[in-house]
Amino acid sequence: MHESMMTPELVEFQNSFKKWVENELVPHHEKWEAQGITPRELYTKAGEQGFLCLTAPEEYGGMGLDFRYASVVIEELGYALTSGAAFFLHSDVIAPYLYHYGNEEQKKKWIPGLVSGELISAIAMTEPGTGSDLQGIATKAELKGDHWVLNGAKTFISNGHISNWVIVVARTEVPGSENSKFAPLSLFVVEEGMEGFERGRNLSKMGLKAQDTAELSFTNCKVPKENLLGEVGKGFLYLTNELAAERLTVAIWSLATAKRCLDLTVEYTKGRKAFGRSISDFQNTRYKLAEMATEISLGEAFVDRCINGMVEEKDMIVEASKAKYWCSEMLGRVADDCVQLFGGYGYMNEYPIAKAYVDARVQRIYAGTTEIMKEIISRDLLK
Ligand SMILES: Cc1cc2nc3c(=O)[nH]c(=O)nc-3n(C[C@H](O)[C@H](O)[C@H](O)COP(=O)(O)OP(=O)(O)OC[C@H]3O[C@@H](n4cnc5c(N)ncnc54)[C@H](O)[C@@H]3O)c2cc1C
Protein backbone atom coordinates (compact mmCIF):
# COMPACT_ATOMS: atom_id res chain seq x y z
CA MET A 1 0.00 0.00 0.00
CA HIS A 2 1.15 3.53 -0.64
CA GLU A 3 2.37 5.34 2.47
CA SER A 4 -0.65 7.63 2.24
CA MET A 5 -2.80 4.57 3.14
CA MET A 6 -0.73 3.71 6.20
CA THR A 7 -1.81 4.74 9.72
CA PRO A 8 0.62 4.57 12.70
CA GLU A 9 -1.15 1.35 13.80
CA LEU A 10 -0.71 -0.23 10.39
CA VAL A 11 2.97 0.73 10.30
CA GLU A 12 3.48 -0.80 13.75
CA PHE A 13 1.74 -3.98 12.64
CA GLN A 14 3.76 -4.06 9.41
CA ASN A 15 7.04 -3.74 11.32
CA SER A 16 6.22 -6.56 13.68
CA PHE A 17 5.04 -8.86 10.89
CA LYS A 18 8.08 -8.02 8.74
CA LYS A 19 10.38 -8.94 11.63
CA TRP A 20 8.54 -12.20 12.19
CA VAL A 21 8.81 -13.09 8.49
CA GLU A 22 12.55 -12.34 8.55
CA ASN A 23 13.07 -14.55 11.61
CA GLU A 24 10.58 -17.36 11.14
CA LEU A 25 10.13 -17.75 7.41
CA VAL A 26 13.06 -16.48 5.39
CA PRO A 27 15.79 -18.62 7.04
CA HIS A 28 13.78 -21.85 6.59
CA HIS A 29 12.16 -21.29 3.23
CA GLU A 30 14.80 -23.01 1.14
CA LYS A 31 14.52 -26.15 3.28
CA TRP A 32 10.74 -26.13 2.85
CA GLU A 33 11.15 -25.69 -0.90
CA ALA A 34 13.26 -28.85 -0.96
CA GLN A 35 10.61 -30.66 1.11
CA GLY A 36 7.75 -29.36 -1.05
CA ILE A 37 5.74 -28.34 2.02
CA THR A 38 5.85 -26.10 5.07
CA PRO A 39 5.47 -27.57 8.57
CA ARG A 40 2.06 -27.41 10.20
CA GLU A 41 3.59 -25.67 13.22
CA LEU A 42 4.14 -22.62 11.05
CA TYR A 43 0.42 -21.96 11.26
CA THR A 44 0.21 -22.35 15.02
CA LYS A 45 3.25 -20.10 15.40
CA ALA A 46 1.62 -17.47 13.20
CA GLY A 47 -1.65 -17.93 15.09
CA GLU A 48 0.08 -17.39 18.45
CA GLN A 49 1.37 -14.05 17.22
CA GLY A 50 -2.07 -13.03 15.92
CA PHE A 51 -1.08 -13.06 12.24
CA LEU A 52 -3.86 -15.32 10.94
CA CYS A 53 -7.44 -14.44 9.98
CA LEU A 54 -7.07 -10.79 10.93
CA THR A 55 -10.56 -9.93 9.76
CA ALA A 56 -12.24 -12.72 11.79
CA PRO A 57 -15.08 -11.38 13.98
CA GLU A 58 -14.11 -10.72 17.60
CA GLU A 59 -17.00 -12.77 19.02
CA TYR A 60 -15.37 -15.90 17.54
CA GLY A 61 -11.86 -15.23 18.78
CA GLY A 62 -10.71 -12.98 15.94
CA MET A 63 -9.48 -9.41 15.99
CA GLY A 64 -12.10 -7.92 13.68
CA LEU A 65 -9.51 -5.85 11.79
CA ASP A 66 -10.16 -4.52 8.33
CA PHE A 67 -8.76 -5.67 4.98
CA ARG A 68 -5.85 -3.20 5.11
CA TYR A 69 -4.24 -5.36 7.80
CA ALA A 70 -4.73 -8.46 5.68
CA SER A 71 -3.13 -6.56 2.79
CA VAL A 72 -0.05 -5.82 4.89
CA VAL A 73 0.42 -9.55 5.51
CA ILE A 74 0.04 -10.39 1.81
CA GLU A 75 2.47 -7.63 0.82
CA GLU A 76 5.14 -8.67 3.28
CA LEU A 77 4.94 -12.32 2.20
CA GLY A 78 5.08 -11.33 -1.46
CA TYR A 79 7.99 -8.96 -0.92
CA ALA A 80 9.94 -11.55 1.11
CA LEU A 81 9.42 -14.12 -1.69
CA THR A 82 8.11 -16.58 0.89
CA SER A 83 5.45 -18.07 -1.31
CA GLY A 84 5.34 -21.25 0.79
CA ALA A 85 3.43 -19.56 3.58
CA ALA A 86 0.01 -19.36 1.97
CA PHE A 87 -1.45 -17.56 4.98
CA PHE A 88 -3.58 -15.30 2.85
CA LEU A 89 -5.24 -18.28 1.18
CA HIS A 90 -6.17 -19.53 4.65
CA SER A 91 -7.00 -16.15 6.22
CA ASP A 92 -8.45 -14.00 3.45
CA VAL A 93 -9.73 -16.43 0.84
CA ILE A 94 -11.09 -19.43 2.75
CA ALA A 95 -11.98 -18.30 6.29
CA PRO A 96 -14.37 -15.57 4.99
CA TYR A 97 -16.64 -18.30 3.56
CA LEU A 98 -17.31 -19.22 7.17
CA TYR A 99 -17.85 -15.62 8.31
CA HIS A 100 -20.30 -15.00 5.46
CA TYR A 101 -22.14 -18.32 5.05
CA GLY A 102 -21.52 -20.33 8.21
CA ASN A 103 -24.30 -20.71 10.78
CA GLU A 104 -23.79 -19.79 14.43
CA GLU A 105 -22.80 -23.30 15.43
CA GLN A 106 -20.27 -23.63 12.59
CA LYS A 107 -18.72 -20.25 13.36
CA LYS A 108 -18.30 -21.13 17.04
CA LYS A 109 -16.91 -24.54 16.17
CA TRP A 110 -14.35 -23.60 13.53
CA ILE A 111 -13.39 -19.91 13.49
CA PRO A 112 -11.29 -20.09 16.71
CA GLY A 113 -9.25 -22.97 15.24
CA LEU A 114 -8.64 -21.11 11.98
CA VAL A 115 -7.50 -18.04 13.95
CA SER A 116 -5.14 -20.06 16.16
CA GLY A 117 -3.76 -22.09 13.24
CA GLU A 118 -4.87 -25.40 14.73
CA LEU A 119 -7.15 -25.77 11.74
CA ILE A 120 -5.39 -25.25 8.41
CA SER A 121 -7.75 -24.72 5.53
CA ALA A 122 -7.93 -25.47 1.82
CA ILE A 123 -10.59 -24.97 -0.82
CA ALA A 124 -11.23 -27.57 -3.50
CA MET A 125 -12.98 -26.34 -6.62
CA THR A 126 -10.77 -27.50 -9.49
CA GLU A 127 -11.13 -31.03 -10.88
CA PRO A 128 -9.11 -32.97 -13.43
CA GLY A 129 -11.85 -32.25 -15.99
CA THR A 130 -12.69 -28.64 -15.13
CA GLY A 131 -10.96 -25.54 -13.83
CA SER A 132 -12.04 -22.27 -15.41
CA ASP A 133 -15.54 -23.57 -15.95
CA LEU A 134 -16.83 -24.04 -12.42
CA GLN A 135 -20.26 -24.93 -13.77
CA GLY A 136 -18.67 -28.13 -15.06
CA ILE A 137 -17.85 -29.43 -11.57
CA ALA A 138 -18.67 -33.14 -11.49
CA THR A 139 -17.99 -34.08 -7.85
CA LYS A 140 -21.39 -35.12 -6.58
CA ALA A 141 -23.01 -34.91 -3.16
CA GLU A 142 -26.16 -36.89 -2.37
CA LEU A 143 -28.20 -36.60 0.78
CA LYS A 144 -28.65 -39.95 2.55
CA GLY A 145 -30.46 -39.57 5.87
CA ASP A 146 -28.37 -37.51 8.29
CA HIS A 147 -25.34 -37.16 6.04
CA TRP A 148 -24.18 -36.29 2.54
CA VAL A 149 -22.22 -38.77 0.42
CA LEU A 150 -19.50 -37.20 -1.72
CA ASN A 151 -17.94 -38.83 -4.78
CA GLY A 152 -15.38 -37.23 -7.06
CA ALA A 153 -11.83 -35.96 -7.45
CA LYS A 154 -10.14 -32.58 -7.10
CA THR A 155 -6.74 -31.45 -8.28
CA PHE A 156 -4.23 -28.59 -7.87
CA ILE A 157 -5.42 -27.98 -4.30
CA SER A 158 -3.13 -25.58 -2.44
CA ASN A 159 -2.57 -26.65 1.18
CA GLY A 160 -4.03 -30.00 0.05
CA HIS A 161 -1.65 -31.93 2.29
CA ILE A 162 -1.13 -29.74 5.34
CA SER A 163 -4.79 -28.78 5.63
CA ASN A 164 -7.11 -30.54 8.04
CA TRP A 165 -10.22 -28.59 7.02
CA VAL A 166 -11.26 -28.41 3.37
CA ILE A 167 -14.16 -26.61 1.72
CA VAL A 168 -15.22 -28.91 -1.11
CA VAL A 169 -17.43 -27.71 -3.94
CA ALA A 170 -19.83 -30.39 -5.15
CA ARG A 171 -22.87 -30.72 -7.37
CA THR A 172 -26.14 -31.27 -5.48
CA GLU A 173 -28.95 -32.28 -7.79
CA VAL A 174 -31.93 -31.74 -5.48
CA PRO A 175 -35.58 -31.36 -6.61
CA GLY A 176 -36.02 -27.96 -8.27
CA SER A 177 -32.33 -27.50 -9.10
CA GLU A 178 -32.94 -28.42 -12.75
CA ASN A 179 -34.61 -25.00 -13.21
CA SER A 180 -31.63 -23.06 -11.87
CA LYS A 181 -29.69 -20.73 -14.22
CA PHE A 182 -26.44 -21.82 -12.56
CA ALA A 183 -25.03 -25.23 -11.78
CA PRO A 184 -26.51 -26.51 -8.51
CA LEU A 185 -23.30 -26.38 -6.48
CA SER A 186 -22.98 -26.55 -2.71
CA LEU A 187 -20.10 -26.15 -0.28
CA PHE A 188 -19.15 -28.82 2.25
CA VAL A 189 -16.58 -28.79 5.02
CA VAL A 190 -14.65 -32.05 4.82
CA GLU A 191 -12.48 -32.75 7.84
CA GLU A 192 -9.35 -34.81 8.18
CA GLY A 193 -10.15 -38.43 8.98
CA MET A 194 -13.61 -38.51 7.41
CA GLU A 195 -14.29 -41.88 5.87
CA GLY A 196 -13.68 -41.91 2.10
CA PHE A 197 -11.52 -38.75 2.03
CA GLU A 198 -8.05 -39.43 0.61
CA ARG A 199 -5.14 -37.23 -0.40
CA GLY A 200 -3.13 -38.13 -3.48
CA ARG A 201 0.23 -36.92 -4.71
CA ASN A 202 1.88 -33.69 -3.65
CA LEU A 203 2.24 -32.37 -7.20
CA SER A 204 5.65 -31.35 -8.50
CA LYS A 205 5.56 -27.75 -9.77
CA MET A 206 7.88 -25.38 -11.62
CA GLY A 207 7.55 -22.79 -8.82
CA LEU A 208 5.86 -22.18 -5.44
CA LYS A 209 7.98 -25.09 -4.34
CA ALA A 210 7.38 -24.76 -0.60
CA GLN A 211 3.61 -24.76 -1.07
CA ASP A 212 1.99 -28.17 -1.22
CA THR A 213 -0.46 -28.70 -4.07
CA ALA A 214 -2.43 -31.92 -3.94
CA GLU A 215 -4.93 -34.19 -5.57
CA LEU A 216 -7.87 -35.08 -3.32
CA SER A 217 -10.41 -37.83 -3.76
CA PHE A 218 -13.80 -38.58 -2.24
CA THR A 219 -15.16 -42.11 -2.42
CA ASN A 220 -18.53 -42.50 -0.75
CA CYS A 221 -17.20 -39.90 1.67
CA LYS A 222 -19.68 -39.43 4.52
CA VAL A 223 -20.08 -35.79 5.47
CA PRO A 224 -22.49 -34.91 8.32
CA LYS A 225 -25.41 -32.70 7.36
CA GLU A 226 -24.10 -30.04 9.77
CA ASN A 227 -21.02 -29.59 7.53
CA LEU A 228 -22.99 -28.05 4.66
CA LEU A 229 -21.93 -24.40 4.43
CA GLY A 230 -24.75 -22.02 3.59
CA GLU A 231 -27.75 -23.18 1.58
CA VAL A 232 -27.97 -26.11 -0.79
CA GLY A 233 -27.50 -25.03 -4.41
CA LYS A 234 -26.13 -21.55 -3.63
CA GLY A 235 -22.48 -22.54 -4.01
CA PHE A 236 -21.94 -20.87 -7.37
CA LEU A 237 -23.23 -17.57 -6.01
CA TYR A 238 -21.00 -17.85 -2.92
CA LEU A 239 -17.96 -18.62 -5.08
CA THR A 240 -18.65 -15.66 -7.36
CA ASN A 241 -18.79 -13.33 -4.35
CA GLU A 242 -15.75 -14.71 -2.55
CA LEU A 243 -13.49 -15.07 -5.59
CA ALA A 244 -13.21 -11.26 -5.66
CA ALA A 245 -11.16 -11.33 -2.44
CA GLU A 246 -9.05 -14.21 -3.77
CA ARG A 247 -8.27 -12.25 -6.94
CA LEU A 248 -7.36 -9.17 -4.98
CA THR A 249 -4.94 -11.15 -2.82
CA VAL A 250 -3.20 -12.30 -6.01
CA ALA A 251 -3.02 -8.69 -7.23
CA ILE A 252 -1.52 -7.51 -3.93
CA TRP A 253 0.97 -10.37 -3.85
CA SER A 254 1.97 -9.73 -7.48
CA LEU A 255 2.51 -6.06 -6.86
CA ALA A 256 4.66 -6.68 -3.78
CA THR A 257 6.73 -9.30 -5.62
CA ALA A 258 7.21 -6.90 -8.53
CA LYS A 259 8.50 -4.29 -6.06
CA ARG A 260 10.98 -6.80 -4.68
CA CYS A 261 12.14 -7.75 -8.20
CA LEU A 262 12.73 -4.09 -8.96
CA ASP A 263 14.61 -3.45 -5.69
CA LEU A 264 16.83 -6.48 -6.26
CA THR A 265 17.55 -5.34 -9.81
CA VAL A 266 18.33 -1.73 -8.90
CA GLU A 267 20.86 -3.03 -6.36
CA TYR A 268 22.37 -5.56 -8.74
CA THR A 269 22.70 -3.28 -11.76
CA LYS A 270 24.43 -0.60 -9.66
CA GLY A 271 27.09 -3.11 -8.60
CA ARG A 272 27.64 -5.12 -11.76
CA LYS A 273 30.13 -3.75 -14.29
CA ALA A 274 30.43 -4.18 -18.06
CA PHE A 275 32.43 -2.19 -20.57
CA GLY A 276 33.96 -0.20 -17.71
CA ARG A 277 30.61 1.05 -16.41
CA SER A 278 27.88 -0.07 -14.07
CA ILE A 279 25.07 -1.89 -15.85
CA SER A 280 22.77 0.81 -14.41
CA ASP A 281 24.66 3.44 -16.43
CA PHE A 282 23.35 2.05 -19.71
CA GLN A 283 20.41 3.98 -20.99
CA ASN A 284 18.54 0.74 -21.69
CA THR A 285 18.86 -0.27 -18.03
CA ARG A 286 17.76 3.09 -16.70
CA TYR A 287 14.76 3.20 -19.01
CA LYS A 288 13.76 -0.36 -18.14
CA LEU A 289 13.98 0.45 -14.41
CA ALA A 290 11.96 3.63 -14.96
CA GLU A 291 9.29 1.72 -16.89
CA MET A 292 9.01 -0.92 -14.17
CA ALA A 293 8.84 1.65 -11.35
CA THR A 294 6.08 3.48 -13.22
CA GLU A 295 4.03 0.34 -13.80
CA ILE A 296 4.35 -0.57 -10.13
CA SER A 297 3.22 2.89 -8.98
CA LEU A 298 0.23 2.83 -11.32
CA GLY A 299 -0.70 -0.69 -10.19
CA GLU A 300 -0.40 0.37 -6.57
CA ALA A 301 -2.80 3.28 -7.05
CA PHE A 302 -5.47 0.97 -8.47
CA VAL A 303 -4.91 -1.81 -5.94
CA ASP A 304 -5.12 0.71 -3.08
CA ARG A 305 -8.48 1.77 -4.46
CA CYS A 306 -9.57 -1.88 -4.45
CA ILE A 307 -8.33 -2.37 -0.87
CA ASN A 308 -10.44 0.60 0.19
CA GLY A 309 -13.36 -0.93 -1.69
CA MET A 310 -12.95 -4.13 0.34
CA VAL A 311 -12.80 -2.15 3.59
CA GLU A 312 -16.02 -0.37 2.58
CA GLU A 313 -17.56 -3.76 1.67
CA LYS A 314 -18.32 -2.69 -1.89
CA ASP A 315 -19.05 -5.16 -4.69
CA MET A 316 -15.52 -5.79 -5.98
CA ILE A 317 -16.13 -8.60 -8.48
CA VAL A 318 -15.18 -6.61 -11.59
CA GLU A 319 -12.59 -4.33 -9.98
CA ALA A 320 -10.77 -7.27 -8.39
CA SER A 321 -10.71 -9.03 -11.77
CA LYS A 322 -9.09 -5.96 -13.33
CA ALA A 323 -6.53 -5.81 -10.53
CA LYS A 324 -5.73 -9.53 -10.76
CA TYR A 325 -5.43 -9.49 -14.53
CA TRP A 326 -3.25 -6.40 -14.75
CA CYS A 327 -1.00 -6.91 -11.72
CA SER A 328 -0.25 -10.57 -12.46
CA GLU A 329 0.59 -9.71 -16.09
CA MET A 330 2.66 -6.74 -14.92
CA LEU A 331 4.59 -8.99 -12.54
CA GLY A 332 5.29 -11.31 -15.48
CA ARG A 333 6.77 -8.43 -17.50
CA VAL A 334 8.75 -7.06 -14.55
CA ALA A 335 10.18 -10.43 -13.47
CA ASP A 336 11.19 -11.20 -17.06
CA ASP A 337 12.91 -7.83 -17.58
CA CYS A 338 14.67 -8.15 -14.22
CA VAL A 339 16.06 -11.60 -15.05
CA GLN A 340 17.35 -10.11 -18.30
CA LEU A 341 19.14 -7.31 -16.44
CA PHE A 342 20.77 -9.87 -14.13
CA GLY A 343 22.21 -11.66 -17.18
CA GLY A 344 23.23 -15.29 -16.54
CA TYR A 345 23.05 -14.80 -12.78
CA GLY A 346 19.33 -14.18 -13.13
CA TYR A 347 18.96 -17.76 -14.33
CA MET A 348 20.71 -19.23 -11.29
CA ASN A 349 18.52 -20.56 -8.51
CA GLU A 350 20.77 -19.11 -5.84
CA TYR A 351 19.65 -15.65 -6.95
CA PRO A 352 16.22 -14.72 -5.52
CA ILE A 353 15.25 -13.14 -8.84
CA ALA A 354 15.17 -16.61 -10.42
CA LYS A 355 12.70 -17.81 -7.78
CA ALA A 356 10.59 -14.68 -8.20
CA TYR A 357 10.46 -15.35 -11.94
CA VAL A 358 9.11 -18.90 -11.64
CA ASP A 359 6.76 -18.06 -8.78
CA ALA A 360 5.36 -15.22 -10.88
CA ARG A 361 4.14 -17.46 -13.68
CA VAL A 362 1.22 -19.04 -11.86
CA GLN A 363 -0.25 -15.71 -10.77
CA ARG A 364 -1.71 -15.38 -14.28
CA ILE A 365 -3.28 -18.84 -14.02
CA TYR A 366 -4.75 -19.60 -10.61
CA ALA A 367 -7.70 -17.85 -8.96
CA GLY A 368 -9.03 -17.49 -12.51
CA THR A 369 -6.82 -17.08 -15.57
CA THR A 370 -6.16 -13.77 -17.29
CA GLU A 371 -8.59 -14.82 -20.00
CA ILE A 372 -11.36 -15.47 -17.46
CA MET A 373 -10.65 -12.07 -15.85
CA LYS A 374 -11.11 -10.46 -19.28
CA GLU A 375 -14.37 -12.39 -19.71
CA ILE A 376 -15.70 -10.98 -16.41
CA ILE A 377 -14.59 -7.43 -17.23
CA SER A 378 -15.98 -7.46 -20.77
CA ARG A 379 -19.26 -9.07 -19.70
CA ASP A 380 -19.75 -6.17 -17.30
CA LEU A 381 -19.04 -3.66 -20.07
CA LEU A 382 -21.45 -5.26 -22.49
CA LYS A 383 -24.29 -6.11 -20.12
C1 LIG B 1 -0.19 -23.86 -8.15
C2 LIG B 1 -1.67 -23.93 -8.30
C3 LIG B 1 -2.47 -23.84 -7.16
C4 LIG B 1 -3.86 -23.94 -7.28
N1 LIG B 1 -4.63 -23.93 -6.15
C5 LIG B 1 -5.96 -24.21 -6.24
C6 LIG B 1 -6.75 -24.38 -5.07
O1 LIG B 1 -6.28 -24.24 -3.93
N2 LIG B 1 -8.06 -24.73 -5.22
C7 LIG B 1 -8.63 -24.88 -6.45
O2 LIG B 1 -9.80 -25.20 -6.50
N3 LIG B 1 -7.90 -24.72 -7.58
C8 LIG B 1 -6.58 -24.40 -7.50
N4 LIG B 1 -5.83 -24.25 -8.65
C9 LIG B 1 -6.48 -24.42 -9.94
C10 LIG B 1 -6.58 -23.15 -10.77
O3 LIG B 1 -7.51 -22.26 -10.21
C11 LIG B 1 -6.91 -23.56 -12.21
O4 LIG B 1 -5.75 -24.20 -12.72
C12 LIG B 1 -7.29 -22.40 -13.08
O5 LIG B 1 -8.53 -21.86 -12.69
C13 LIG B 1 -7.38 -22.79 -14.56
O6 LIG B 1 -8.13 -23.96 -14.73
P1 LIG B 1 -7.51 -25.17 -15.59
O7 LIG B 1 -6.15 -25.44 -15.09
O8 LIG B 1 -8.49 -26.28 -15.59
O9 LIG B 1 -7.38 -24.59 -17.06
P2 LIG B 1 -8.52 -24.61 -18.18
O10 LIG B 1 -9.79 -24.13 -17.63
O11 LIG B 1 -8.48 -25.93 -18.87
O12 LIG B 1 -7.94 -23.49 -19.20
C14 LIG B 1 -6.90 -23.75 -20.13
C15 LIG B 1 -6.72 -22.48 -20.98
O13 LIG B 1 -7.97 -22.17 -21.64
C16 LIG B 1 -8.33 -20.85 -21.34
N5 LIG B 1 -9.79 -20.72 -21.24
C17 LIG B 1 -10.64 -21.49 -20.53
N6 LIG B 1 -11.89 -21.02 -20.65
C18 LIG B 1 -11.82 -19.93 -21.45
C19 LIG B 1 -12.77 -18.99 -21.96
N7 LIG B 1 -14.07 -19.06 -21.63
N8 LIG B 1 -12.34 -18.00 -22.77
C20 LIG B 1 -11.04 -17.89 -23.09
N9 LIG B 1 -10.09 -18.74 -22.65
C21 LIG B 1 -10.47 -19.74 -21.84
C22 LIG B 1 -7.70 -20.54 -19.98
O14 LIG B 1 -7.57 -19.14 -19.79
C23 LIG B 1 -6.36 -21.26 -20.13
O15 LIG B 1 -5.48 -20.42 -20.83
C24 LIG B 1 -4.45 -24.10 -8.56
C25 LIG B 1 -3.64 -24.15 -9.70
C26 LIG B 1 -2.28 -24.08 -9.58
C27 LIG B 1 -1.44 -24.17 -10.83
Side-chain angles (χ1 to χ4, degrees), residues 5 35 39 85 113 127 177 224 269:
M5 293 267 289
Q35 292 168 348
E127 302 186 348
S177 64
T269 55

Side-chain angles (χ1 to χ4, degrees), residues 89 123-126 130-133 155-158 205 208 213 362 365-369 371-372 375:
L89 175 73
I123 186 158
M125 297 173 254
T126 307
T130 196
S132 301
D133 182 11
T155 193
F156 303 154
I157 308 308
S158 305
K205 307 186 292 298
L208 299 187
T213 307
V362 77
I365 297 172
Y366 61 13
T369 62
E371 293 72 31
I372 296 301
E375 280 295 320

Side-chain angles (χ1 to χ4, degrees), residues 87 113 120 136 166 169 203 269 320 379:
F87 294 158
I120 303 177
V166 186
V169 184
L203 301 165
T269 55
R379 218 177 290 146

Side-chain angles (χ1 to χ4, degrees), residues 174-220:
V174 293
S177 64
E178 60 281 4
N179 302 324
S180 167
K181 190 171 146 205
F182 302 111
L185 303 177
S186 302
L187 311 184
F188 298 90
V189 173
V190 177
E191 298 170 85
E192 191 165 45
M194 280 184 173
E195 199 185 312
F197 169 36
E198 304 262 349
R199 301 169 206 256
R201 292 178 298 151
N202 185 3
L203 301 165
S204 170
K205 307 186 292 298
M206 72 159 86
L208 299 187
K209 298 255 188 218
Q211 207 178 95
D212 61 300
T213 307
E215 292 172 329
L216 306 179
S217 73
F218 308 91
T219 312
N220 293 325

Side-chain angles (χ1 to χ4, degrees), residues 91-327:
S91 302
D92 309 311
V93 174
I94 304 171
Y97 280 90
L98 200 48
Y99 317 154
H100 299 152
Y101 313 113
N103 58 34
E104 195 53 27
E105 203 179 308
Q106 292 171 331
K107 288 178 182 172
K108 278 194 191 135
K109 186 172 169 197
W110 291 319
I111 295 177
L114 294 172
V115 173
S116 69
E118 272 143 74
L119 290 181
I120 303 177
S121 60
I123 186 158
M125 297 173 254
T126 307
E127 302 186 348
T130 196
S132 301
D133 182 11
L134 290 173
Q135 308 239 34
I137 282 176
T139 296
K140 229 177 175 174
E142 288 174 284
L143 189 58
K144 299 258 167 84
D146 64 349
H147 61 270
W148 291 85
V149 177
L150 263 63
N151 277 292
K154 299 287 179 181
T155 193
F156 303 154
I157 308 308
S158 305
N159 278 0
H161 273 272
I162 54 167
S163 57
N164 41 17
W165 193 92
V166 186
I167 296 180
V168 178
V169 184
R171 186 171 282 273
T172 39
E173 311 275 1
V174 293
S177 64
E178 60 281 4
N179 302 324
S180 167
K181 190 171 146 205
F182 302 111
L185 303 177
S186 302
L187 311 184
F188 298 90
V189 173
V190 177
E191 298 170 85
E192 191 165 45
M194 280 184 173
E195 199 185 312
F197 169 36
E198 304 262 349
R199 301 169 206 256
R201 292 178 298 151
N202 185 3
L203 301 165
S204 170
K205 307 186 292 298
M206 72 159 86
L208 299 187
K209 298 255 188 218
Q211 207 178 95
D212 61 300
T213 307
E215 292 172 329
L216 306 179
S217 73
F218 308 91
T219 312
N220 293 325
C221 175
K222 276 175 80 170
V223 179
K225 251 171 131 175
E226 308 80 71
N227 284 28
L228 170 77
L229 209 50
E231 290 178 43
V232 179
K234 293 255 175 92
F236 189 76
L237 181 71
Y238 300 158
L239 292 170
T240 307
N241 291 338
E242 299 303 313
L243 279 166
E246 178 163 2
R247 287 163 185 162
L248 194 52
T249 65
V250 175
I252 298 167
W253 196 92
S254 297
L255 194 57
T257 305
K259 278 186 196 170
R260 180 65 185 280
C261 290
L262 179 62
D263 289 351
L264 288 168
T265 308
V266 166
E267 211 42 49
Y268 181 80
T269 55
K270 282 201 284 190
R272 177 80 177 166
K273 299 260 188 302
F275 299 93
R277 299 198 269 170
S278 290
I279 301 285
S280 59
D281 287 338
F282 297 123
Q283 189 188 54
N284 175 65
T285 307
R286 290 185 286 109
Y287 285 10
K288 280 282 174 209
L289 295 175
E291 284 164 17
M292 291 190 269
T294 305
E295 288 211 64
I296 290 168
S297 294
L298 293 175
E300 185 174 57
F302 184 63
V303 167
D304 283 354
R305 197 168 98 187
C306 292
I307 293 170
N308 279 331
M310 288 293 288
V311 174
E312 291 160 16
E313 297 183 8
K314 289 189 177 152
D315 174 353
M316 297 305 291
I317 294 172
V318 178
E319 299 305 274
S321 300
K322 290 178 185 169
K324 199 264 173 190
Y325 145 50
W326 196 83
C327 291

